Amino acid sequence: MIRSELIQKIAEENPHLFQRDVERIVNTIFEEIISAMSKGDRVELRGFGAFSVKKRDARVGRNPRTGDSVSVDEKYVPFFKTGKLLRDRLNGK
């Protein structure tokens, strides 16, 4: 599902809301999650999961094409851990 499909589904399920308002709500939620993660905060949505940021240390990697050693700088990557309710539903429980 992509963002526009999510907006459309929410708008269909809530006919009392204008689609532009639903779009603004969805965009605000995503922006707040991004903003919190960029500050290094953790975002938890109970039953769904938790978004956090993990630090990957600098390392020596390999160029897969040539096999040469390449230095890879440290970086921060997004991490998502599923909540128990989501895991249970995916596993048919």
Side-chain angles (χ1 to χ4, degrees):
M1 176 179 280
I2 59 175
R3 185 184 299 217
S4 60
E5 292 172 341
L6 176 64
I7 292 167
Q8 184 65 37
K9 179 135 176 88
I10 293 171
E12 288 171 2
E13 292 178 3
N14 297 282
H16 61 282
L17 295 173
F18 293 110
Q19 182 155 349
R20 67 177 180 269
D21 294 334
V22 173
E23 187 173 351
R24 193 174 303 134
I25 291 166
V26 169
N27 288 337
T28 301
I29 291 169
F30 288 144
E31 287 299 321
E32 286 301 316
I33 291 171
I34 292 168
S35 175
M37 289 179 68
S38 68
K39 295 178 202 166
D41 294 339
R42 182 174 185 261
V43 178
E44 182 178 337
L45 303 172
R46 295 282 166 125
F48 182 69
F51 298 92
S52 60
V53 177
K54 295 223 177 200
K55 179 182 173 188
R56 289 200 181 153
D57 293 328
R59 62 186 172 84
V60 175
R62 296 240 177 248
N63 181 332
R65 194 173 284 196
T66 63
D68 294 338
S69 295
V70 178
S71 65
V72 179
D73 296 333
E74 75 173 21
K75 59 184 168 184
Y76 294 91
V77 294
F79 179 76
F80 178 74
K81 181 178 180 185
T82 58
K84 185 176 183 328
L85 179 64
L86 178 59
R87 275 195 310 270
D88 290 347
R89 288 183 92 179
L90 289 174
N91 293 308
K93 295 181 183 175

